[in-house]
């Protein structure tokens, strides 16, 4: 078992027995540290023999940049003050898209909480909007991220805006999140 070369991640594993009996299972725990932001999910290569023939299985691990979020609580004043500070064009990523699923409030909240950031209640002046805040923790730096999701239930569309202290993170998170809604 090996991971494709991904210098943005430090992956540690514990050794496992080289022989697994038929019908048996083993568990392999991976500890993953984010060294710097990344865009591609790591690939896990598993090599084994079956019926005497060498087999190679490559799996895409469900590890995305948002897995390293730390939720950040803040007031409405602090959120919008920070929002204005992240005003460089490259710090913002925005996407307007049609809703892929229903626009149920509780489902939206669950998806936003699943992102790993803090869902901030009563922060946006428009009660229909959702705002989130978090910090992506990497070994080299902390990347502050603010999110604003504006649903338009009549048109069944969303406007998603992300502002992050690192532009590559804004773009990647925006693409990743738009797929969720």
């Amino acid at each position: 078992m090996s991971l494709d070369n991904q210098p943005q991640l430090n992956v540690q594993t514990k050794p496992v027995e080289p022989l697994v009996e038929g019908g048996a299972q083993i568990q392999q725990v991976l500890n993953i540290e984010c060294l710097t932001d990344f865009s591609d999910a790591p690939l896990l290569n598993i090599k084994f023999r079956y019926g005497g023939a060498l087999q190679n299985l490559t799996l895409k691990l469900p590890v995305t940049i948002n897995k390293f979020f730390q939720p950040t609580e803040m007031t409405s004043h602090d959120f919008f003050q920070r929002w204005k500070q992240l005003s460089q064009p490259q710090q913002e990523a925005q996407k307007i898209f049609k809703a892929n699923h229903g626009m149920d409030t509780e489902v939206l909240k669950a998806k936003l909480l699943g992102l790993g950031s803090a869902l901030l209640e009563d922060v946006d002046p428009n009660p229909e909007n959702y705002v989130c805040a978090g910090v992506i923790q990497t070994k080299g730096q902390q990347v502050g991220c603010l999110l604003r999701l504006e649903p338009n239930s009549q048109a069944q569309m969303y406007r998603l805006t992300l502002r992050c202290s690192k532009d590559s993170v804004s773009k990647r998170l925006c693409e990743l999140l738009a797929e969720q809604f």
Side-chain angles (χ1 to χ4, degrees), residues 26-61:
I26 60 166
Q27 180 177 355
Q28 177 67 69
V29 177
L30 305 174
N31 289 317
I32 302 174
E33 177 185 26
C34 184
L35 302 175
T36 184
D37 68 286
F38 63 97
S39 57
D40 295 326
L43 298 176
L44 178 68
N45 296 311
I46 302 171
K47 294 180 182 175
F48 59 97
R49 288 200 179 276
Y50 179 73
L54 186 62
Q55 306 290 319
N56 190 13
L57 182 64
T58 301
L59 303 173
K60 189 177 192 179
L61 293 178

Side-chain angles (χ1 to χ4, degrees), residues 71-82:
T72 305
E73 295 290 337
M74 57 179 68
T75 65
S76 179
H77 175 266
D78 292 341
F79 179 88
F80 285 105
Q81 182 178 14
R82 183 76 180 124

Side-chain angles (χ1 to χ4, degrees), residues 74 80 94-95 125 162:
M74 57 179 68
F80 285 105
Q94 188 175 86
K95 190 164 188 164
L162 273 128

Side-chain angles (χ1 to χ4, degrees), residues 69-72 74 79 117-120 131-135 145-147:
F69 250 131
Q70 293 293 315
T72 305
M74 57 179 68
F79 179 88
S117 60
L119 177 60
L120 307 176
V131 294
C132 298
V135 175
C145 299
L146 301 176
L147 174 149

